[in-house]
Amino acid sequence: MRPAMYWALAVLLLAGAPPLRAQDSGADHPRLEQLRRRVRERYAERVRQELNLTDDQMRRLRTTVGTYGAERRDMETRQRALRDALVQQLRPGVTASRDSVARLTDELMSLRVRYAESFRGEQAEMAKYLDPIQRAKVTVLRERLLNRAQELRRRRPFMERRQQPE
């Protein structure tokens, strides 16, 4: 497969990953988990090649990204729960509890700050074993992948409508 196809596959898998993760751990979808694993491996290899990483740097990068990624996934789950609770408080026809809304809003804002700070912490950790150019390249590669995944998520409802039989 060509590198562009790997990117497309990675984006497709990432575009579908959040809803599936919310519903299942992946145990019921072994083929999907296998595809995710293969995409992660190929993406890691691309990062290794583009950044010219040593085995030690790659090992440390995997550990750092895994640790901070897990923390951010937990924060994303909490953010969704907070937003859902706010929506419930603010729905039309229901008298919202000022105390609950204030607490939920404050917690959501604090969580967003912690989320942003996690990227700073991740960068500080990577600075211990990557040079500034390598760190910048990791950031650019990640942003490109996320942008592609977001674009596919935006297009997904349109694509699903086109695929339904008429």
Side-chain angles (χ1 to χ4, degrees):
M1 270 192 193
R2 295 176 312 214
M5 291 186 70
Y6 288 130
W7 276 104
L9 181 59
V11 171
L12 284 171
L13 289 174
L14 289 173
L20 288 174
R21 184 177 294 129
Q23 295 169 3
D24 287 306
S25 66
D28 295 336
H29 304 284
R31 186 164 180 239
L32 180 60
E33 282 305 309
Q34 181 183 19
L35 285 171
R36 285 182 184 152
R37 182 184 50 75
R38 288 176 49 200
V39 168
R40 282 191 302 266
E41 289 170 0
R42 288 194 173 104
Y43 179 72
E45 189 53 38
R46 179 170 181 180
V47 167
R48 177 193 294 271
Q49 289 173 356
E50 287 201 24
L51 277 60
N52 196 26
L53 299 179
T54 65
D55 288 343
D56 182 58
Q57 286 175 311
M58 192 64 196
R59 180 188 52 75
R60 293 176 76 178
L61 180 62
R62 283 181 195 260
T63 300
T64 301
V65 169
T67 299
Y68 282 91
E71 289 175 13
R72 282 193 290 267
R73 281 188 299 278
D74 290 344
M75 285 188 259
E76 289 164 359
T77 299
R78 181 66 184 144
Q79 279 183 357
R80 279 190 298 276
L82 289 169
R83 282 192 306 269
D84 290 346
L86 272 172
V87 165
Q88 290 300 311
Q89 284 288 321
L90 301 174
R91 69 182 191 264
V94 174
T95 304
S97 164
R98 290 181 183 275
D99 290 340
S100 292
V101 169
R103 181 186 56 77
L104 291 167
T105 302
D106 290 346
E107 190 176 346
L108 184 59
M109 292 304 111
S110 294
L111 194 55
R112 286 181 178 173
V113 169
R114 282 186 23 229
Y115 188 86
E117 287 173 345
S118 75
F119 285 99
R120 183 180 297 161
E122 184 180 51
Q123 285 291 318
E125 183 69 26
M126 286 191 290
K128 295 176 184 176
Y129 54 88
L130 298 179
D131 66 42
I133 293 171
Q134 289 172 319
R135 288 190 356 246
K137 284 182 178 181
V138 165
T139 302
V140 168
L141 288 171
R142 178 186 291 165
E143 287 177 6
R144 284 181 189 160
L145 183 63
L146 291 174
N147 287 340
R148 288 178 182 175
Q150 289 171 348
E151 177 61 27
L152 281 174
R153 280 188 201 113
R154 281 190 294 270
R155 294 171 59 197
R156 184 174 39 198
F158 173 73
M159 294 173 75
E160 288 172 356
R161 282 192 303 263
R162 285 185 44 198
Q163 292 176 355
Q164 291 177 355
E166 295 181 28

